[in-house]
Amino acid sequence: MTALKICVFGSGSFSTAMSFCLAQKGHQVVMLARSEEVARHVNEQHRNPRESVSFARLPDNITCVTSAASALEGAAYIVHAVPVQFTLEYVGKLRELIPPTTPIISTSKGIHSETLELMCDLYPRALGRAAQPMAFVSGPSFAKELLTRQPTALVVASASDTLAREVQELFSSSFCRAYRSRDVRGVEIGGALKNVIAIAAGVVEGLGFGKNTQCALITRGVGEITRIALKMGGEAETLAGLSGIGDLMLTCLGGLSRNAKVGIRLGQGETMAHILDTMPEVAEGVPTTRAAVQLAAQLGVEHTPIMCTLLDILDGKMAPKDAVEHLMN
């Protein structure tokens, strides 16, 4: 593949990991950051100073800028790694700079807390146009492990087979293998709702319960995710694959998940307000929990006890220990 310029929106841990993967093919990768300090570190020291990824030396073909015009000029692809809840405002400010034919590759996972939209609905609205070519990347992929070149498998979903193949080629390397899917909604809902179940699994761990309890909750959580996905037009096969069960297992049991850590801290007795105040990065599962419960009600999916109980915990209406007893009965 010919070396291309690829713009990556965001400079967090996953933005950095995506940039690292794309740079393996020799592409010119330009990260768009808000912080001049981050941009300077990336350009001069070839490291992102964020604590979670500062260990990784970045290839010389990754640069970082704070000018959107500079980042986007001549970009063949745009990789969006900004949290879902901030996407509408973020893209709204940039849409005049984004050509209508430039493919957007979204790696953000979640449901918008106010509109209940997935990224496949939210992004076209933010751009003000429906025809933008888009692909969605998901699957079990911790940033830290990608940055240490550990073998990883991803899923690329798109309504366009041609674009899916292009993105598959962009991300494929000696340590990263990408699979194609046409089930955009199934891939997106799996990626969004696994964060909700991960918080619940973290609560169980924080309370001191073992793997019997965690695995029971995770398995029942798969059922809740699948019921919602099917109502939205997703496919059961997708939820049984990398972007469903695969991503769910990693997020619940992998030890590096921000969402699971939120749950662990809740189970150990910390308040939600204190947890959010002391988290260095966004845990998408927190706003997604309320959105998931509302979405399930909107779709007529009645049986989502784990998600509903977790929402009560997050809202302070139920103590974590009482929640386990409630679910068992």
Side-chain angles (χ1 to χ4, degrees):
M1 176 180 281
T2 304
L4 304 167
K5 178 179 178 180
I6 302 172
C7 173
V8 177
F9 287 169
S11 60
S13 58
F14 205 68
S15 309
T16 305
M18 292 293 93
S19 299
F20 183 83
C21 291
L22 293 164
Q24 303 305 308
K25 293 286 186 71
H27 300 302
Q28 178 192 356
V29 182
V30 182
M31 298 169 62
L32 177 58
R34 291 181 299 176
S35 166
E36 292 284 357
E37 180 188 2
V38 169
R40 185 171 61 254
H41 269 77
V42 171
N43 295 331
E44 295 177 2
Q45 300 180 25
H46 303 290
R47 294 181 189 275
N48 187 327
R50 293 179 181 273
E51 183 179 354
S52 58
V53 292
S54 60
F55 67 90
R57 191 194 187 284
L58 303 178
D60 293 348
N61 52 322
I62 296 177
T63 58
C64 189
V65 300
T66 56
S67 164
S70 174
L72 287 163
E73 184 180 6
Y77 297 90
I78 298 167
V79 175
H80 182 94
V82 174
V84 171
Q85 309 308 326
F86 305 136
T87 291
L88 199 59
E89 180 182 3
Y90 186 97
V91 175
K93 293 177 179 178
L94 301 180
R95 62 183 175 187
E96 299 302 325
L97 298 172
I98 300 173
T101 57
T102 302
I104 308 290
I105 305 166
S106 172
T107 67
S108 305
K109 302 173 182 178
I111 302 171
H112 193 273
S113 59
E114 295 179 5
T115 65
L116 308 185
E117 291 171 298
L118 296 170
M119 288 293 285
C120 60
D121 302 310
L122 184 66
Y123 222 97
R125 185 163 69 86
L127 287 171
R129 50 182 179 261
Q132 192 83 23
M134 293 200 69
F136 303 85
V137 174
S138 193
S141 48
F142 281 149
K144 182 178 180 179
E145 296 190 7
L146 284 168
L147 288 166
T148 52
R149 305 174 64 89
Q150 297 190 35
T152 300
L154 301 172
V155 176
V156 178
S158 179
S160 164
D161 288 334
T162 300
L163 180 56
R165 288 180 184 276
E166 291 174 7
V167 177
Q168 180 184 37
E169 176 64 21
L170 284 176
F171 280 97
S172 295
S173 68
S174 61
F175 63 90
C176 187
R177 178 164 183 171
Y179 295 84
R180 300 189 307 277
S181 171
R182 291 185 59 85
D183 184 12
V184 169
R185 293 193 179 276
V187 167
E188 280 226 82
I189 204 70
L193 297 188
K194 57 92 180 180
N195 288 328
V196 177
I197 303 304
I199 296 176
V203 170
V204 166
E205 183 177 348
L207 287 167
F209 293 109
K211 299 306 179 188
N212 283 7
T213 316
Q214 280 185 285
C215 289
L217 182 140
I218 292 166
T219 304
R220 298 304 299 168
V222 171
E224 295 189 19
I225 293 171
T226 302
R227 284 192 286 277
I228 293 173
L230 292 177
K231 278 282 191 177
M232 296 185 74
E235 300 171 9
E237 183 180 0
T238 301
L239 279 300
L242 287 166
S243 58
I245 290 175
D247 208 359
L248 180 66
M249 288 193 299
L250 181 78
T251 311
C252 292
L253 302 173
L256 295 174
S257 165
R258 294 189 294 269
N259 293 285
K261 288 175 180 176
V262 168
I264 291 169
R265 293 173 67 180
L266 280 169
Q268 292 173 341
E270 293 187 51
T271 65
M272 194 68 242
H274 180 255
I275 293 169
L276 293 178
D277 285 344
T278 56
M279 287 197 71
E281 292 189 283
V282 174
E284 284 276 16
V286 176
T288 299
T289 300
R290 186 178 308 279
V293 171
Q294 293 174 344
L295 182 61
Q298 187 180 93
L299 293 168
V301 179
E302 297 179 0
H303 194 60
T304 55
I306 295 172
M307 295 183 191
C308 290
T309 302
L310 177 61
L311 182 59
D312 284 343
I313 295 173
L314 297 182
D315 285 347
K317 296 178 180 178
M318 187 179 295
K321 188 173 181 180
D322 295 337
V324 174
E325 184 178 345
H326 171 73
L327 287 171
M328 289 301 292
N329 292 324

